[in-house]
């Protein structure tokens, strides 16, 4: 195993690995995989018939399409601002910055999430609940965080995702998301990670299952009170989506131990980022 010094868990190194199968998917063209360095670290409804139902379905579809278009615009503006700054066109970068700020103030989901966060910080929980319910009506999946944390049989899996503007091309419906995973063995038995399984769902609710051996070419052994971290990435053809899955593991301190699955709780892939605090 190659060892490097990793940045804090909520930050990302340059992403060099992606899912290895399938090579081409409904979520975008996947490049050939490249091995990524890692390290092991120690630590102490019912529906109505007739025209009414049809009208409601059309309204829902139009709302979803409108939200998709706004997300696409937001992602494109952020990328243009970054490119303007890199090319030292600071006047254009400033113009785009101001446009983004105005967009964030007018975009319903971003505005409501900001209001909800402010209400929580000021302990106005009734207001926070109202904003949350309004978000549910507009875009329920946007309440899903860009992070997750789940424990199965003493094995804790923490995930954090970020949108990578530099590797995305919104005009071509190509959105690139990186995610970082920390697996911590809080049990008193050593385990080995054998296989991975991901369920990747885009904004159109189109899902794909991805299976693989180990992670980033490794089948790491994680001792008690130790953690294993790695970074990977996922391309989508929509500005948002979600991931969830599980790792197949086994205890290696006893011959013939049966394998078991460790859950990876759902987390969002979003160009809008996360209105909540990091892990």
């Amino acid at each position: 195993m190659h060892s490097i010094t990793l940045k804090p868990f909520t930050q990302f190194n340059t992403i060099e690995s992606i899912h290895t199968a399938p090579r081409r998917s409904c979520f975008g063209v996947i490049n050939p995989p490249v091995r990524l360095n890692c390290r092991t670290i120690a630590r102490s409804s019912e529906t109505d018939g007739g025209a009414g139902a049809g009208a409601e379905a059309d309204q829902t579809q139009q709302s979803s399409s409108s939200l998709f278009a706004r997300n696409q615009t937001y992602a494109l503006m952020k990328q243009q601002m970054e490119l303007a700054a890199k090319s030292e066109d600071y006047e254009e970068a400033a113009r785009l910055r101001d446009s983004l700020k105005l967009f964030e103030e007018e975009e319903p989901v971003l505005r409501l999430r900001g209001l909800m966060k402010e209400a929580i910080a000021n302990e106005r929980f009734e207001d926070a609940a109202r904003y949350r319910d309004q978000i549910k009506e507009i875009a329920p999946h946007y309440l899903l965080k860009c992070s997750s944390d789940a424990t199965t049989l003493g094995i804790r899996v923490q995930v954090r995702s970020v949108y990578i503007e530099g590797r995305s091309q919104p005009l071509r419906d190509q959105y690139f998301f990186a995610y970082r995973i920390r697996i911590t063995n809080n049990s008193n038995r050593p385990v080995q990670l054998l296989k991975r399984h991901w369920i990747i769902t885009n904004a159109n609710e189109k899902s794909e299952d991805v299976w693989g051996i180990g992670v980033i070419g490794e089948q790491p052994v994680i001792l008690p009170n130790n953690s294993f971290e790695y970074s990977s990435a996922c391309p989508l053809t929509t500005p948002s989506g979600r991931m969830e899955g599980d790792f197949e593991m086994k205890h290696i301190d006893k011959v013939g131990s049966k394998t078991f699955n460790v859950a990876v709780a759902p987390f969002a892939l979003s160009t809008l980022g996360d209105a909540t605090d990091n892990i």
Side-chain angles (χ1 to χ4, degrees), residues 91-155:
E91 291 183 357
E92 178 66 7
R95 185 190 69 79
L96 287 165
R97 177 204 60 201
D98 295 341
S99 296
L100 274 169
K101 184 177 181 180
L102 181 62
F103 186 97
E104 290 170 355
E105 292 173 352
E106 295 180 348
E107 208 292 317
V109 173
L110 285 176
R111 181 177 58 83
L112 286 169
R113 289 202 312 184
L115 290 172
M116 183 176 68
K117 185 177 181 180
E118 180 181 356
I120 293 172
N122 294 326
E123 299 184 357
R124 294 185 287 106
F125 300 118
E126 294 83 359
D127 291 339
R130 186 175 72 254
Y131 297 138
R132 178 204 60 202
D133 293 342
Q134 290 177 20
I135 294 174
K136 284 183 179 179
E137 293 179 4
I138 299 173
H141 60 284
Y142 273 89
L143 289 174
L144 185 63
K145 299 179 182 179
C146 294
S147 60
S148 71
D149 189 340
T151 299
T152 306
L153 297 177
I155 309 301

Side-chain angles (χ1 to χ4, degrees), residues 170-225:
L171 287 178
R172 297 183 179 182
D173 293 331
Q174 295 177 7
Y175 303 89
F176 198 82
F177 299 91
Y179 57 90
R180 187 161 185 79
I181 293 183
R182 175 191 290 153
I183 305 170
T184 304
N185 184 357
N186 289 322
S187 74
N188 58 3
R189 302 178 64 184
V191 297
Q192 183 175 19
L193 192 160
L194 302 176
K195 299 178 182 178
R196 70 185 184 276
H197 170 221
W198 289 112
I199 303 171
I200 308 169
T201 306
N202 66 17
N204 298 320
E205 292 299 318
K206 189 172 184 179
S207 295
E208 181 177 11
D209 290 84
V210 178
W211 288 271
I213 302 298
V215 290
I216 58 169
E218 302 278 350
Q219 289 183 305
V221 171
I222 310 174
L223 300 176
N225 298 317

Side-chain angles (χ1 to χ4, degrees), residues 252-268:
I252 59 171
D253 58 343
K254 184 178 180 180
V255 177
S257 295
K258 294 183 179 180
T259 62
F260 60 97
N261 292 332
V262 173
V264 183
F267 59 95

